Amino acid sequence: MTIPATIDDVQTLLSETGYVCGRPLATVVFLSLKLGRPLFLEGEAGVGKTEIAKALALMLGRRLIRLQCYEGLDASSAVYEWNFPAQMIAIRTAEAQGSADREVLQRELFGPDYLVERPLLQAMRPDEHGAPVLLIDELDRTDEPFEAFLLEALSDFQVTIPELGTIKAPEPPIVILTSNRTREVHDALKRRCLYHWVDYPDFAREVEILHAREPGIAEELSREIVAFVQALRTEDIFKKPGVAETIDWAKCLLALDVVDLSPEVISDTLGAILKYQDDIAKIQGSEAARLLKDAKATLEPG
Protein backbone atom coordinates (compact mmCIF):
# COMPACT_ATOMS: atom_id res chain seq x y z
CA MET A 1 0.00 0.00 0.00
CA THR A 2 1.17 3.54 -0.74
CA ILE A 3 1.59 6.17 1.97
CA PRO A 4 -1.81 7.54 3.12
CA ALA A 5 -2.65 10.92 1.61
CA THR A 6 -4.01 12.64 4.73
CA ILE A 7 -3.90 12.52 8.52
CA ASP A 8 -7.51 11.38 8.56
CA ASP A 9 -6.55 8.48 6.29
CA VAL A 10 -3.83 7.44 8.74
CA GLN A 11 -6.29 7.53 11.64
CA THR A 12 -8.91 5.55 9.71
CA LEU A 13 -6.52 2.93 8.36
CA LEU A 14 -4.89 2.40 11.77
CA SER A 15 -8.31 1.94 13.36
CA GLU A 16 -9.05 -0.75 10.78
CA THR A 17 -6.06 -2.70 12.12
CA GLY A 18 -7.44 -2.36 15.67
CA TYR A 19 -5.17 0.51 16.71
CA VAL A 20 -7.12 3.50 18.00
CA CYS A 21 -5.15 6.74 18.23
CA GLY A 22 -5.82 10.45 18.59
CA ARG A 23 -5.10 13.07 15.97
CA PRO A 24 -1.75 14.23 17.47
CA LEU A 25 -0.26 10.73 17.14
CA ALA A 26 -1.84 10.25 13.70
CA THR A 27 -0.30 13.57 12.63
CA VAL A 28 3.25 12.65 13.65
CA VAL A 29 2.88 9.22 12.03
CA PHE A 30 1.70 10.89 8.80
CA LEU A 31 4.65 13.30 8.86
CA SER A 32 7.10 10.48 9.54
CA LEU A 33 5.80 8.58 6.50
CA LYS A 34 5.59 11.68 4.31
CA LEU A 35 9.06 13.04 5.16
CA GLY A 36 10.84 9.70 5.56
CA ARG A 37 11.95 10.62 9.10
CA PRO A 38 12.37 8.12 11.97
CA LEU A 39 9.67 8.40 14.63
CA PHE A 40 10.75 8.43 18.28
CA LEU A 41 8.01 7.45 20.75
CA GLU A 42 8.40 7.85 24.50
CA GLY A 43 5.95 6.97 27.23
CA GLU A 44 5.16 4.61 30.07
CA ALA A 45 5.29 0.87 29.42
CA GLY A 46 2.06 -0.56 28.02
CA VAL A 47 0.64 2.59 26.39
CA GLY A 48 0.89 1.26 22.82
CA LYS A 49 4.29 2.39 21.53
CA THR A 50 5.29 -1.03 20.20
CA GLU A 51 1.81 -1.69 18.84
CA ILE A 52 1.97 1.36 16.56
CA ALA A 53 4.82 -0.26 14.62
CA LYS A 54 2.87 -3.51 14.29
CA ALA A 55 -0.23 -1.60 13.16
CA LEU A 56 1.80 0.42 10.62
CA ALA A 57 3.27 -2.73 9.09
CA LEU A 58 -0.19 -4.26 8.85
CA MET A 59 -1.69 -1.05 7.45
CA LEU A 60 0.95 -0.69 4.73
CA GLY A 61 1.37 -4.38 3.99
CA ARG A 62 5.08 -4.15 4.86
CA ARG A 63 7.36 -6.54 6.69
CA LEU A 64 7.93 -5.76 10.37
CA ILE A 65 11.53 -6.15 11.60
CA ARG A 66 12.02 -5.79 15.35
CA LEU A 67 15.27 -5.04 17.16
CA GLN A 68 14.64 -5.65 20.86
CA CYS A 69 17.17 -3.60 22.78
CA TYR A 70 18.88 -4.76 25.96
CA GLU A 71 21.82 -3.80 28.14
CA GLY A 72 25.08 -4.65 26.39
CA LEU A 73 23.63 -4.70 22.86
CA ASP A 74 26.36 -3.75 20.40
CA ALA A 75 26.55 -2.90 16.73
CA SER A 76 27.62 -6.36 15.57
CA SER A 77 24.75 -8.07 17.41
CA ALA A 78 22.28 -5.65 15.83
CA VAL A 79 23.71 -5.89 12.30
CA TYR A 80 25.20 -9.31 11.62
CA GLU A 81 27.30 -12.20 12.81
CA TRP A 82 29.08 -15.07 11.15
CA ASN A 83 27.79 -18.63 11.44
CA PHE A 84 30.80 -19.88 13.37
CA PRO A 85 29.71 -23.56 13.77
CA ALA A 86 29.03 -23.84 10.02
CA GLN A 87 32.37 -22.20 9.25
CA MET A 88 34.19 -24.71 11.45
CA ILE A 89 32.46 -27.62 9.74
CA ALA A 90 33.45 -26.21 6.32
CA ILE A 91 37.09 -25.87 7.47
CA ARG A 92 37.20 -29.44 8.80
CA THR A 93 35.59 -30.75 5.61
CA ALA A 94 38.06 -28.89 3.41
CA GLU A 95 40.99 -30.20 5.46
CA ALA A 96 39.69 -33.77 5.28
CA GLN A 97 39.32 -33.52 1.50
CA GLY A 98 42.76 -31.97 1.12
CA SER A 99 41.34 -28.92 -0.65
CA ALA A 100 42.08 -26.28 1.92
CA ASP A 101 43.21 -23.44 -0.39
CA ARG A 102 43.37 -20.67 2.18
CA GLU A 103 42.39 -17.73 -0.03
CA VAL A 104 39.47 -19.53 -1.68
CA LEU A 105 38.30 -20.94 1.62
CA GLN A 106 38.47 -17.55 3.30
CA ARG A 107 36.36 -15.96 0.54
CA GLU A 108 33.79 -18.71 0.95
CA LEU A 109 33.73 -18.61 4.74
CA PHE A 110 33.16 -14.87 4.82
CA GLY A 111 30.59 -14.79 2.06
CA PRO A 112 26.80 -14.58 2.02
CA ASP A 113 26.32 -18.31 2.70
CA TYR A 114 27.74 -17.95 6.21
CA LEU A 115 26.33 -14.52 7.03
CA VAL A 116 23.62 -14.36 9.70
CA GLU A 117 21.65 -11.17 9.16
CA ARG A 118 20.39 -9.34 12.22
CA PRO A 119 17.56 -6.76 12.24
CA LEU A 120 19.47 -3.66 11.06
CA LEU A 121 20.98 -5.48 8.09
CA GLN A 122 17.64 -7.12 7.26
CA ALA A 123 16.05 -3.67 7.19
CA MET A 124 18.59 -2.51 4.57
CA ARG A 125 17.70 -5.27 2.13
CA PRO A 126 15.33 -4.63 -0.81
CA ASP A 127 11.79 -5.98 -0.42
CA GLU A 128 9.22 -6.50 -3.15
CA HIS A 129 6.48 -5.15 -0.87
CA GLY A 130 8.35 -1.93 -0.14
CA ALA A 131 10.68 -0.75 2.60
CA PRO A 132 10.03 -2.64 5.84
CA VAL A 133 8.97 -1.17 9.17
CA LEU A 134 11.99 -1.28 11.49
CA LEU A 135 11.04 -1.24 15.17
CA ILE A 136 13.92 -0.39 17.52
CA ASP A 137 12.19 -1.24 20.78
CA GLU A 138 13.12 0.07 24.25
CA LEU A 139 16.18 2.00 23.13
CA ASP A 140 16.66 3.31 26.67
CA ARG A 141 17.87 -0.16 27.72
CA THR A 142 21.06 0.23 25.64
CA ASP A 143 24.07 2.47 26.29
CA GLU A 144 25.56 5.55 24.61
CA PRO A 145 27.99 3.76 22.24
CA PHE A 146 25.09 1.93 20.63
CA GLU A 147 23.17 5.21 20.33
CA ALA A 148 26.16 6.72 18.53
CA PHE A 149 26.21 3.80 16.13
CA LEU A 150 22.48 4.17 15.48
CA LEU A 151 22.96 7.87 14.80
CA GLU A 152 25.24 7.01 11.89
CA ALA A 153 23.14 4.10 10.64
CA LEU A 154 19.93 6.14 10.62
CA SER A 155 21.59 9.13 8.99
CA ASP A 156 22.81 7.24 5.92
CA PHE A 157 20.68 4.09 6.12
CA GLN A 158 23.71 1.96 5.49
CA VAL A 159 25.88 -0.48 7.43
CA THR A 160 29.42 -1.70 6.86
CA ILE A 161 30.60 -5.28 7.11
CA PRO A 162 34.42 -5.34 6.94
CA GLU A 163 34.53 -8.58 4.94
CA LEU A 164 31.81 -7.56 2.47
CA GLY A 165 31.87 -3.76 2.36
CA THR A 166 29.10 -1.20 2.75
CA ILE A 167 25.47 -2.20 2.29
CA LYS A 168 23.07 0.69 1.64
CA ALA A 169 19.29 0.47 1.71
CA PRO A 170 17.81 1.03 -1.78
CA GLU A 171 14.83 2.57 0.03
CA PRO A 172 15.06 3.77 3.65
CA PRO A 173 13.04 1.63 6.07
CA ILE A 174 10.18 3.13 8.07
CA VAL A 175 11.84 3.49 11.48
CA ILE A 176 10.02 3.53 14.83
CA LEU A 177 12.10 3.93 18.00
CA THR A 178 10.54 3.50 21.43
CA SER A 179 11.68 4.34 24.94
CA ASN A 180 10.14 3.81 28.38
CA ARG A 181 12.34 6.68 29.59
CA THR A 182 14.25 4.68 32.17
CA ARG A 183 17.10 6.99 31.12
CA GLU A 184 17.42 9.97 28.80
CA VAL A 185 18.27 9.24 25.17
CA HIS A 186 20.92 11.59 23.72
CA ASP A 187 19.65 14.75 22.01
CA ALA A 188 21.69 14.05 18.87
CA LEU A 189 19.64 10.94 18.17
CA LYS A 190 16.36 12.63 19.01
CA ARG A 191 17.14 15.44 16.57
CA ARG A 192 17.21 12.89 13.73
CA CYS A 193 13.65 11.91 14.57
CA LEU A 194 10.15 13.25 14.88
CA TYR A 195 9.12 12.99 18.53
CA HIS A 196 5.88 12.12 20.30
CA TRP A 197 5.05 11.39 23.93
CA VAL A 198 2.48 8.58 24.09
CA ASP A 199 0.38 9.21 27.18
CA TYR A 200 -2.35 7.19 28.83
CA PRO A 201 -5.59 7.69 26.88
CA ASP A 202 -8.57 9.53 28.31
CA PHE A 203 -11.64 7.57 29.42
CA ALA A 204 -13.55 7.65 26.12
CA ARG A 205 -10.54 6.66 24.03
CA GLU A 206 -9.55 3.82 26.34
CA VAL A 207 -13.10 2.43 26.14
CA GLU A 208 -12.85 2.71 22.36
CA ILE A 209 -9.50 0.88 22.39
CA LEU A 210 -10.94 -1.85 24.58
CA HIS A 211 -13.87 -2.39 22.22
CA ALA A 212 -11.52 -2.45 19.22
CA ARG A 213 -9.40 -5.18 20.83
CA GLU A 214 -12.23 -7.06 22.56
CA PRO A 215 -15.38 -6.43 20.48
CA GLY A 216 -17.39 -9.00 22.44
CA ILE A 217 -17.22 -7.15 25.75
CA ALA A 218 -20.40 -5.58 27.13
CA GLU A 219 -20.56 -1.78 27.16
CA GLU A 220 -21.23 -1.45 30.91
CA LEU A 221 -18.46 -3.85 31.88
CA SER A 222 -15.95 -2.12 29.58
CA ARG A 223 -16.78 1.23 31.17
CA GLU A 224 -16.35 -0.22 34.67
CA ILE A 225 -13.01 -1.79 33.74
CA VAL A 226 -11.62 1.43 32.29
CA ALA A 227 -12.94 3.56 35.16
CA PHE A 228 -11.33 1.25 37.72
CA VAL A 229 -7.98 1.10 35.88
CA GLN A 230 -7.91 4.88 35.51
CA ALA A 231 -8.68 5.26 39.23
CA LEU A 232 -5.87 2.80 39.94
CA ARG A 233 -3.43 4.98 38.00
CA THR A 234 -4.01 7.83 40.44
CA GLU A 235 -2.83 5.67 43.37
CA ASP A 236 0.70 5.69 44.78
CA ILE A 237 1.81 2.34 43.37
CA PHE A 238 5.14 1.20 41.93
CA LYS A 239 3.95 0.35 38.42
CA LYS A 240 0.78 1.91 37.06
CA PRO A 241 -1.14 -0.34 34.65
CA GLY A 242 -0.98 0.54 30.97
CA VAL A 243 -3.53 0.01 28.23
CA ALA A 244 -2.02 -3.43 27.62
CA GLU A 245 -2.97 -4.40 31.18
CA THR A 246 -6.48 -3.03 30.70
CA ILE A 247 -6.90 -5.31 27.69
CA ASP A 248 -5.37 -8.31 29.49
CA TRP A 249 -7.67 -7.80 32.45
CA ALA A 250 -10.71 -7.59 30.19
CA LYS A 251 -9.70 -10.89 28.57
CA CYS A 252 -9.46 -12.51 32.01
CA LEU A 253 -12.84 -11.19 33.09
CA LEU A 254 -14.46 -12.41 29.88
CA ALA A 255 -12.89 -15.85 30.38
CA LEU A 256 -14.47 -15.92 33.88
CA ASP A 257 -17.87 -14.82 32.48
CA VAL A 258 -17.86 -11.73 34.72
CA VAL A 259 -20.71 -9.33 33.93
CA ASP A 260 -20.19 -6.83 36.75
CA LEU A 261 -17.14 -5.82 38.76
CA SER A 262 -17.08 -6.59 42.47
CA PRO A 263 -14.33 -6.24 45.11
CA GLU A 264 -14.03 -10.04 45.25
CA VAL A 265 -13.54 -10.37 41.48
CA ILE A 266 -11.01 -7.55 41.52
CA SER A 267 -8.98 -9.12 44.35
CA ASP A 268 -8.96 -12.48 42.55
CA THR A 269 -7.72 -11.01 39.26
CA LEU A 270 -5.38 -8.20 40.33
CA GLY A 271 -2.42 -10.13 38.92
CA ALA A 272 -3.65 -9.27 35.43
CA ILE A 273 -3.22 -5.53 35.97
CA LEU A 274 -0.60 -5.22 38.73
CA LYS A 275 2.79 -6.92 38.41
CA TYR A 276 4.37 -6.27 41.81
CA GLN A 277 3.32 -8.02 45.01
CA ASP A 278 3.59 -4.82 47.09
CA ASP A 279 1.11 -3.12 44.73
CA ILE A 280 -1.27 -6.10 44.84
CA ALA A 281 -1.13 -6.25 48.65
CA LYS A 282 -1.84 -2.52 48.85
CA ILE A 283 -4.93 -2.63 46.61
CA GLN A 284 -6.58 -5.84 47.81
CA GLY A 285 -9.55 -5.90 50.16
CA SER A 286 -10.98 -2.59 51.37
CA GLU A 287 -8.83 -0.54 48.97
CA ALA A 288 -10.24 -2.44 46.00
CA ALA A 289 -13.77 -1.81 47.31
CA ARG A 290 -13.05 1.91 47.76
CA LEU A 291 -11.55 2.31 44.30
CA LEU A 292 -14.43 0.41 42.71
CA LYS A 293 -16.95 2.60 44.50
CA ASP A 294 -15.15 5.75 43.34
CA ALA A 295 -14.88 4.40 39.79
CA LYS A 296 -18.56 3.54 39.58
CA ALA A 297 -19.46 6.96 40.97
CA THR A 298 -17.76 8.58 37.99
CA LEU A 299 -20.03 6.56 35.67
CA GLU A 300 -23.27 7.67 37.29
CA PRO A 301 -25.15 10.31 35.29
CA GLY A 302 -25.19 13.79 36.75
Side-chain angles (χ1 to χ4, degrees):
M1 180 180 176
T2 56
I3 302 302
T6 67
I7 297 168
D8 289 337
D9 288 343
V10 170
Q11 213 166 355
T12 300
L13 291 168
L14 284 176
S15 68
E16 290 175 359
T17 71
Y19 191 93
V20 178
C21 70
R23 190 171 179 84
L25 178 54
T27 300
V28 77
V29 168
F30 171 77
L31 290 172
S32 174
L33 294 173
K34 188 81 172 177
L35 302 176
R37 295 277 299 278
L39 176 57
F40 189 91
L41 301 175
E42 274 192 324
E44 299 292 338
V47 292
K49 302 184 299 297
T50 299
E51 290 300 316
I52 186 66
K54 296 178 182 178
L56 263 180
L58 190 60
M59 178 184 90
L60 298 171
R62 307 289 180 92
R63 182 184 177 196
L64 174 65
I65 298 173
R66 180 174 182 173
L67 174 61
Q68 179 60 54
C69 297
Y70 55 87
E71 187 177 351
L73 176 65
D74 59 15
S76 61
S77 301
V79 179
Y80 76 101
E81 64 180 340
W82 294 106
N83 189 340
F84 182 70
Q87 287 174 323
M88 291 304 299
I89 291 172
I91 291 171
R92 297 288 182 260
T93 302
E95 289 175 345
Q97 293 174 348
S99 57
D101 184 313
R102 292 189 63 182
E103 290 187 7
V104 173
L105 186 58
Q106 185 169 356
R107 284 198 300 270
E108 290 178 354
L109 291 176
F110 292 98
D113 290 345
Y114 296 92
L115 182 67
V116 180
E117 297 188 357
R118 295 304 182 195
L120 288 183
L121 180 54
Q122 292 172 16
M124 303 296 173
R125 297 299 196 185
D127 193 302
E128 60 180 344
H129 300 295
V133 175
L134 172 61
L135 170 62
I136 302 173
D137 210 11
E138 298 185 322
L139 179 62
D140 52 318
R141 291 180 178 270
T142 63
D143 50 24
E144 291 187 4
F146 185 74
E147 277 187 40
F149 164 74
L150 269 186
L151 190 63
E152 180 183 356
L154 297 182
S155 296
D156 302 324
F157 291 105
Q158 66 182 32
V159 293
T160 299
I161 300 174
E163 299 84 355
L164 298 177
T166 299
I167 298 171
K168 186 174 178 63
E171 182 183 359
I174 299 165
V175 182
I176 307 291
L177 303 98
T178 75
S179 167
N180 294 333
R181 211 174 188 180
T182 57
R183 70 169 181 84
E184 285 294 335
V185 173
H186 201 278
D187 287 345
L189 183 59
K190 284 186 175 182
R191 283 198 299 271
R192 292 287 189 275
C193 308
L194 297 176
Y195 176 87
H196 186 78
W197 174 265
V198 184
D199 210 345
Y200 295 115
D202 61 22
F203 178 81
R205 191 167 303 283
E206 193 159 4
V207 170
E208 187 181 356
I209 292 169
L210 189 53
H211 278 290
R213 300 301 295 270
E214 290 297 322
I217 194 168
E219 175 67 23
E220 188 57 32
L221 179 59
S222 67
R223 287 168 55 82
E224 288 183 359
I225 289 171
V226 172
F228 183 84
V229 171
Q230 295 206 344
L232 196 54
R233 288 180 190 140
T234 66
E235 295 296 300
D236 183 20
I237 54 179
F238 182 74
K239 173 63 178 69
K240 300 183 190 304
V243 180
E245 283 74 33
T246 305
I247 296 168
D248 285 345
W249 192 33
K251 291 178 186 290
C252 293
L253 296 175
L254 286 174
L256 294 172
D257 296 321
V258 171
V259 294
D260 183 58
L261 283 185
S262 67
E264 294 74 24
V265 166
I266 291 170
S267 293
D268 289 344
T269 57
L270 270 177
I273 44 177
L274 298 176
K275 308 302 179 181
Y276 289 88
Q277 176 55 30
D278 288 349
D279 290 345
I280 292 173
K282 183 174 184 178
I283 300 300
Q284 275 181 335
S286 60
E287 274 300 293
R290 177 187 67 80
L291 282 173
L292 179 60
K293 181 180 178 181
D294 292 346
K296 287 189 174 184
T298 65
L299 302 176
E300 294 173 0

